[in-house]
Amino acid sequence: MANPRESSIDGKLAEEFAVPCHVDEVKEKMAAFASLHAAAGRRVVLITSGGTKVPLESRTVRFLDNFSSGRRGASSAEYFMDSGYAVIFLHRHRSLYPYTRVFSNINMLDALMFRGEEEASSGEVVVNQQVLPNIAKALKRYQEVKEGNLLLPIEFSTLSEYLHLLKAAAQALSAIGPMAMFYLAAAVSDFYIPASEMPEHKIQSSNGPLQLSLNMVPKILSPLVKDWAPQAFVISFKLETDASILLDKARRALDTYRHQAVVANVLDSRRGYVVVVTPETQAELIISEEDAKNEVEIEERIVSNLTSAHEKFITQQGG
Ligand code: PAZ
């Protein structure tokens, strides 16, 4: 018999959020990727990264966006692969990407130059090492990752795409049980306009001031943990701007969804301070001034904390 809670969220997803046409194809790809790596004894992490976009018109000119550069997801993906994981990287189109993220602020033409005196006439172009000092290191690691088929990138832009692709990912990864980790770092809208209420054409300013009424997005963490991937190790992220409510909100999320951990962070300090909250523990991870000088990133510490916890979780599940 269908689980009524599951059916209600499934029904809402199908009715009010446009289903991306490639979702079944992507689901098969994710399932094949996960079983290939799990068969080789490798754990698989699904990382979500970047912000969702909520269209105001179906032929979209305007939309609401959730803030996220994608840096946390992209850098974490690198540290997970360094720790032996295969990564499904469900990320917002054009947000930061593993390995290329460090070059994202560089104009490509500033990073290139002609070889030798002849300049343009030689036609030979090389990388300017002053502009891109670590390019060889990043390229080497990127090629190893590609050869090992360790990274499966999947893109989303809208909230609808995100929700359907995350559901597909959860169902695809359920086959590998506790070997799967979900690392849900994307910034996801809490509000949306249902497909049935969305105007088709561009909203006209000649009609006067715009009043928006937005519905609440269904809490997808609930069916993910209980129904779609019940054996997986699930980490959600909690972002606040008011530090005084952060830990309370993180604890409430754990009580409600009964998943394994919440990584709690405040917008302004997120690069230097996070708290990993589990039902039993609370670990502060801090990047000191010295660490920052040595280019230590907080994601390295988050990933190290969570991979150890995942290891224990697998052992407890008898895996
Ligand atoms: O992508 P980024 O590095 O700029 O920021 C990361 C983050 C703040 C989006 C992430 O750590 C996070 O908290 N995500 C969950 C956001 C939320 O509560 O909706």
Side-chain angles (χ1 to χ4, degrees):
M1 221 176 66
N3 173 343
R5 184 191 50 244
E6 183 187 352
S7 334
S8 77
I9 292 202
D10 274 345
K12 212 172 206 151
L13 278 184
E15 278 162 31
E16 300 190 356
F17 298 90
V19 184
C21 57
H22 64 318
V23 71
D24 290 336
E25 187 194 324
V26 174
K27 185 173 169 182
E28 267 177 42
K29 254 195 210 170
M30 293 190 285
F33 181 85
S35 41
L36 179 92
H37 286 293
R42 194 170 291 117
R43 296 179 207 150
V44 180
V45 59
L46 180 287
I47 297 178
T48 67
S49 181
T52 59
K53 179 170 140 178
V54 171
L56 301 188
E57 303 121 342
S58 55
R59 299 190 192 205
T60 310
V61 174
R62 302 188 185 89
F63 55 85
L64 303 174
D65 214 346
N66 263 58
F67 168 76
S68 163
S69 65
R71 179 166 150 184
R72 173 138 293 148
S75 58
S76 302
E78 294 174 19
Y79 293 115
F80 273 114
M81 287 185 278
D82 290 346
S83 310
Y85 280 68
V87 173
I88 301 177
F89 188 58
L90 178 57
H91 65 288
R92 167 76 178 267
H93 178 62
R94 293 205 177 129
S95 62
L96 293 186
Y97 195 82
Y99 307 108
T100 59
R101 70 187 169 100
V102 276
F103 313 123
S104 62
N105 291 330
I106 293 167
N107 177 338
M108 190 187 72
L109 294 181
D110 288 334
L112 302 175
M113 57 190 204
F114 290 108
R115 188 199 290 282
E117 299 291 299
E118 318 282 290
E119 302 242 313
S121 59
S122 77
E124 255 189 90
V125 172
V126 291
V127 174
N128 180 342
Q129 293 289 329
Q130 272 170 349
V131 180
L132 287 182
N134 295 322
I135 182 92
K137 195 170 145 214
L139 179 63
K140 184 164 177 284
R141 190 62 189 124
Y142 180 67
Q143 286 182 344
E144 287 165 357
V145 156
K146 262 177 95 175
E147 257 166 50
N149 182 28
L150 293 177
L151 179 63
L152 177 62
I154 313 279
E155 288 189 350
F156 67 85
S157 289
T158 62
L159 172 68
S160 299
E161 289 165 352
Y162 172 85
L163 294 173
H164 285 288
L165 290 170
L166 179 58
K167 177 182 170 188
Q171 292 176 329
L173 267 67
S174 67
I176 66 164
M179 298 277 278
M181 185 197 293
F182 288 81
Y183 184 87
L184 306 174
V188 182
S189 179
D190 286 322
F191 309 103
Y192 75 106
I193 300 179
S196 55
E197 288 170 30
M198 200 183 291
E200 180 184 355
H201 291 289
K202 185 183 165 200
I203 298 166
Q204 294 299 311
S205 59
S206 51
N207 294 342
L210 179 61
Q211 305 272 350
L212 285 178
S213 163
L214 301 169
N215 286 14
M216 294 294 297
V217 173
K219 299 292 183 195
I220 196 152
L221 197 50
S222 177
L224 189 153
V225 172
K226 290 184 183 129
D227 305 311
W228 298 333
Q231 291 180 291
F233 186 73
V234 180
I235 314 302
S236 68
F237 279 68
K238 175 63 70 190
L239 174 69
E240 291 298 338
T241 51
D242 176 356
S244 69
I245 60 170
L246 182 66
L247 291 179
D248 189 41
K249 297 281 292 273
R251 294 227 156 272
R252 256 195 274 164
L254 280 178
D255 284 347
T256 309
Y257 303 112
R258 310 246 150 227
H259 56 308
Q260 281 66 43
V262 176
V263 179
N265 57 172
V266 171
L267 186 64
D268 296 339
S269 59
R270 71 192 189 284
R271 303 274 174 244
Y273 179 77
V274 305
V275 186
V276 181
V277 185
T278 74
E280 303 82 27
T281 61
Q282 191 166 299
E284 289 186 306
L285 307 181
I286 298 166
I287 292 295
S288 65
E289 276 181 25
E290 192 61 23
D291 291 330
K293 262 192 232 145
N294 294 324
E295 297 187 354
V296 178
E297 294 181 302
I298 197 154
E299 287 76 14
E300 185 175 355
R301 305 228 160 119
I302 302 174
V303 168
S304 164
N305 178 300
L306 294 175
T307 51
S308 306
H310 190 197
E311 173 103 50
K312 280 192 205 128
F313 177 80
I314 292 173
T315 312
Q316 281 162 5
Q317 309 294 306

